[in-house]
Structure formats: structure tokens, C-alpha cells
Amino acid sequence: MQPRATSGRQRIGFGPAVALYTGALLGPGVLVLPGIAAGLAGPASVLAWAALVVLGIPVAVTFTALAVRYPSAGGIAATAERAFGPDARTIVGWWFYAAVPLAASAAALLGGQYVAAALGAGQHTAIAVTAAILAVVIAANTAGIRLSGRVQLTLIGVLLALLTASLTTATRHIHLANFTPFNPHGFAAVARATAVLFVGVAGWEACATLTDAVHRPRRTLPRVTAATLVVMAVVYLGLATATIGTLGHLAAETSVPLYAVVRAGLGPAAPPVIAAIALLLTVGAGNTYLAGAARSGATLAAAGDLPSWLAHHTNGVARRSLAVQATATITITTAAIHWHVAPGQLMHLVTVLLAAVAMAGMVAAAVLLPTGWHTLAALTGTAVTAAVLGSAGPHLLIPATIAGAALLWRATRHQPRHIAQAAALPAAQPRPRMHLPAPARTPTASTVTRPARQPPNAPAPARHKRSRRRRNRAARRH
């Protein structure tokens, strides 16, 4: 699946690429996952975070190796096509395209709720902040990936500064007694916590759709991946340690663990800081996901896996695909607010879909990449994503249903749009066409003897013009 040509102006360098990658990985899960992991494994959830960082390395390395060899706006869908054919491309592409509105909606809802809780406001404030987050993300992507990357670079820079200051001030409130008993629920609970935390490394699928927009990808992408892994390890491990060390068993009982940690360190200054962190986390994640999905949707449409009108680009921006993603995100967000669906429930669905995409990418990498440490990394990533999918339970019906719909689309997309009406109408009789006999060419001196070579702009001899006029009149008479 080859991407449609994009404008040369829509390129991003090392800094914006690191910001987009980091935004996808340091998503809204940072706001709630420390408490969820602490509830499952207690203080040993720190081990789950460490395992997440270690297991994320083969996933990141594999996706980077694929991106360097096969950069494409189609992302993992294009990789699956190279390994297994067009059917795999359609299925994987639909999985990712369906996951992004859920991810963006969950991020916006979580950001709104966190900001409202930090400011002591109510539901109306949460809804207003959610709407503002979506508006900023959609507007940034409408202008193209270059502006989106610059916005992301600013957001991530401010976010990391705030997180560093908050966690540093919270270290003086860490007590070693909060880490005992260290592993009250056993290592099986640590494994379950690691599977839940997989959403923390699920952003590599979104990053894979941005690889062909990176300037000099063969040189830049490995550096981007290394920088992103370092940022992810420092933030995740620092946050997990600060959460357990500061809150102890209370970390499992609060729905806003990050707010409690920041409040312990900053005191009265915590509310505006945590509100800013929540906004930056959710806007950054939504920005990366929508940027990747808009490009992926246009590429899938060009390959026939989505309606063809989605393939249109305007100045290198897939605005029609972006409009579909924005509409779906707004619809899901509105429905979740109306029916009081928690963002955590949406994140579970996102985790299953993105784990399915990641597993397809890992298996494809094992087929495509040269044997050696690349294959070992791909097989390790396959085992990790398979374990995550194995813990999904009934949620596995969602990727299975989407896969069936994708295959049905491929089977019927060449059929007429209204098959019943077309079959009921009588077949139209074709209008007979008039075939004129070709005029016989009379040999002339010019066809018997090759004339001397003439300059390109030399006028045709007069006898040739008269001969053509005679042949045209003879053809009209017949």
C-alpha cells in the first residue's frame, strides 16, 4: 500500500517527532494508571512499571526497524500487507482507524474530569474543558502535521517541566514504610498489572503512521525512538515510585493519584499545576492519534479499503479523513457524557484494539525483518502483545467484529451501490456505433524514399498537406 504523495512542506524534524512520539506514549493513562496498578499489585506495582518499560523496548525497536525500511503513512497496515497481503492490510487498518476516536474521546473526557476535580468545579466545567481539548486538537491537525508537530513540541516541553518539578518536590514526602508489605498479592498480580499498563506503550502504533513525514527517516527515527524511550522510562518509574512512596495503600483508593502526589509536593499551588498537566497530557495524546489516523485513513482510502473520497489531500493535509475522525470522536464523547460512560471503560477498548494492531505488526516484522536480533525483538513483542490480548476476555469480540466488517467491505466494494434496483431494471441496449473503413494509403515518393532529416520545427511540405486533405475528404464520403 503506497501512500499518496504529500507536499514537501509537510515534514517534521527530530524535535517535533520526539514530541509527537512522547505525546502518544505519555497519554492520559498517566493520570489514572498508577492508582489502578497499585490496586492490583500494591507496592509491587513498581515492578509492573519497570516490566512495562523493559517490554516496551522490543516493541519500539521492532516498529522503528520497520519504519526505517518501509516508511509509510499506512503504518502497521502497510507492513501487514507486505507480509500477509491486502486482507491483512484492511483488517489492521480498520482496527487502528476505529481505535483512534475511542482514544481521543477517552483522553478528552479524562482531561476534563481531572481539571474539574483539580479546580473543585462540577460536571459543567468538565464538559467545557473536554470540548476545549477536542477543539484544540482538531484545529492543530487541520493546519497540517508541521504545525501539529510544533504545537506538540511546546506542549511536551511544558509538560515535562511541570512533571519534573512536581515529582522532585514530592520526593521529600516519600516514606519507605509505604513500600511494605512489598508484594502482598503475589507475582500473578504483578503480571495482571503489567497487562493493564500496556496502554502506556500502545502509542507506537500511532507513531508508525507518521514515519514517512519525518525528515531523513533512516537517520532520524532511531534517535527519536531512543529519546522517547528515555523520557518514558524516567517519567513512568519516577511517577510510580512517587505514587507508592507518597500515598502508600491510599494510592489504590483514589481516582486521581497524580493530583494527590502533586498536592503533597506543592501544597496550595497544586490545583493549577495538575490542571495544566492534565490538559497537556490529554491534548498531546489526542494530537498524535488524530494526526496518525488522518494520514492512515487517506492511505487506506487510496488503496480501496475505505471510501475513495477520503483519499483527498489539500496542501498535504488529509482533511476529509480528519473530518471523519473528528466527527466520530465528538459523537463518542457526546454519547459517553450522556450515558455516563467512564473514560477507563473506553481505554480498555482502546487497549484491546491497539494490542491487536501491535501484535499484527510484531508478527509481520518477524516475517519481513532479517534474521538475528530483529527477529528476537519481534518474537518478544509478539509474546507481550499476545499476553495482553489473552487477558482481554470478552473484549476480544470487538477486534473480531471489526475484522469481519473489514473483510465484508473487501468482498463487496466492487458491487454496484444499489444492487436490488440495478437487478430490477431492464438492461439498456447499447447504441450501435458506426465504423468507418480506414482509407487506403497510396504510396508516394515520401513513403518509398526516406526524405532527408528535417529540423523539429520545420513546416511540412505542401504536398503532404494536400495529401492529408484528400484522404480526409475520401473518409467523409464513405
Side-chain angles (χ1 to χ4, degrees):
M1 177 173 53
Q2 299 296 328
R4 293 173 70 90
T6 58
S7 171
R9 296 189 298 271
Q10 297 294 324
R11 291 282 177 176
I12 54 176
F14 173 77
V18 172
L20 286 167
Y21 275 46
T22 305
L25 293 166
L26 294 181
V30 172
L31 301 174
V32 294
L33 287 177
I36 296 175
L40 291 173
S45 61
V46 176
L47 296 180
W49 284 101
L52 177 72
V53 172
V54 173
L55 295 176
I57 293 175
V59 177
V61 168
T62 302
F63 281 157
T64 303
L66 287 172
V68 167
R69 287 168 174 77
Y70 315 111
S72 171
I76 306 304
T79 303
E81 179 190 23
R82 287 181 178 273
F84 307 114
D87 287 346
R89 176 197 66 207
T90 307
I91 293 172
V92 175
W94 278 44
W95 280 342
F96 180 73
Y97 206 65
V100 169
L102 293 168
S105 176
L109 288 168
L110 197 54
Q113 292 180 7
Y114 233 90
V115 170
L119 301 179
Q123 180 69 10
H124 294 294
T125 301
I127 294 174
V129 173
T130 299
I133 291 172
L134 292 180
V136 170
V137 169
I138 294 170
N141 279 280
T142 301
I145 194 170
R146 171 171 283 190
L147 177 61
S148 179
R150 290 175 177 173
V151 170
Q152 188 84 338
L153 184 60
T154 303
L155 295 177
I156 294 301
V158 176
L159 171 64
L160 292 179
L162 291 175
L163 281 174
T164 301
S166 302
L167 296 179
T168 302
T169 56
T171 54
R172 64 177 182 268
H173 297 281
I174 293 178
H175 303 287
L176 294 180
N178 289 330
F179 289 91
T180 57
F182 182 71
N183 191 10
H185 307 298
F187 286 102
V190 175
R192 288 195 299 272
T194 304
V196 171
L197 295 178
F198 179 80
V199 71
V201 295
W204 295 108
E205 296 81 13
C207 300
T209 61
L210 307 174
T211 53
D212 71 324
V214 176
H215 181 62
R216 300 174 66 182
R218 186 172 294 274
R219 176 176 178 269
T220 305
L221 285 175
R223 297 166 54 211
V224 170
T225 300
T228 305
L229 284 172
V230 170
V231 172
M232 182 183 72
V234 171
V235 172
Y236 281 171
L237 294 179
L239 180 61
T241 303
T243 300
I244 297 298
T246 303
L247 304 179
H249 68 278
L250 295 178
E253 300 175 6
T254 176
S255 59
V256 285
L258 183 59
Y259 175 65
V261 172
V262 175
R263 185 177 57 187
L266 297 180
V273 172
I274 194 62
I277 291 176
L279 284 174
L280 294 170
L281 281 170
T282 51
V283 170
N287 189 33
T288 301
Y289 275 106
L290 278 184
R295 294 166 55 78
S296 175
T299 307
L300 289 170
D305 296 332
L306 289 172
S308 58
W309 58 272
L310 288 177
H312 178 74
H313 284 75
T314 303
N315 295 327
V317 183
R319 290 181 178 163
R320 293 181 181 178
S321 180
L322 176 62
V324 171
Q325 286 287 310
T327 303
T329 302
I330 293 171
T331 302
I332 292 172
T333 304
T334 305
I337 292 173
H338 179 74
W339 281 294
H340 304 287
V341 178
Q345 294 176 307
L346 296 179
M347 289 177 64
H348 282 304
L349 304 182
V350 174
T351 300
V352 175
L353 288 172
L354 293 185
V357 174
M359 184 172 177
M362 293 297 103
V363 176
V367 174
L368 296 174
L369 295 179
T371 57
W373 65 272
H374 288 104
T375 304
L376 179 61
L379 293 177
T380 304
T382 302
V384 172
T385 52
V388 174
L389 283 175
S391 65
H395 287 152
L396 285 176
L397 290 175
I398 296 172
T401 302
I402 294 175
L407 293 177
L408 182 62
W409 168 271
R410 280 193 59 82
T412 59
R413 65 189 177 96
H414 295 299
Q415 299 297 324
R417 183 169 298 179
H418 300 291
I419 256 180
Q421 291 88 337
L425 294 175
Q429 296 297 325
R431 183 177 179 179
R433 298 181 60 184
M434 182 180 296
H435 297 279
L436 300 178
R441 295 190 61 180
T442 304
T444 62
S446 62
T447 60
V448 174
T449 304
R450 183 181 298 274
R453 183 180 298 275
Q454 298 292 328
N457 298 326
R463 64 178 180 275
H464 291 176
K465 295 181 180 179
R466 289 194 296 271
S467 177
R468 283 198 297 271
R469 284 197 293 269
R470 285 195 297 270
R471 287 197 299 271
N472 292 338
R473 285 196 295 270
R476 286 194 294 270
R477 284 196 297 272
H478 287 288

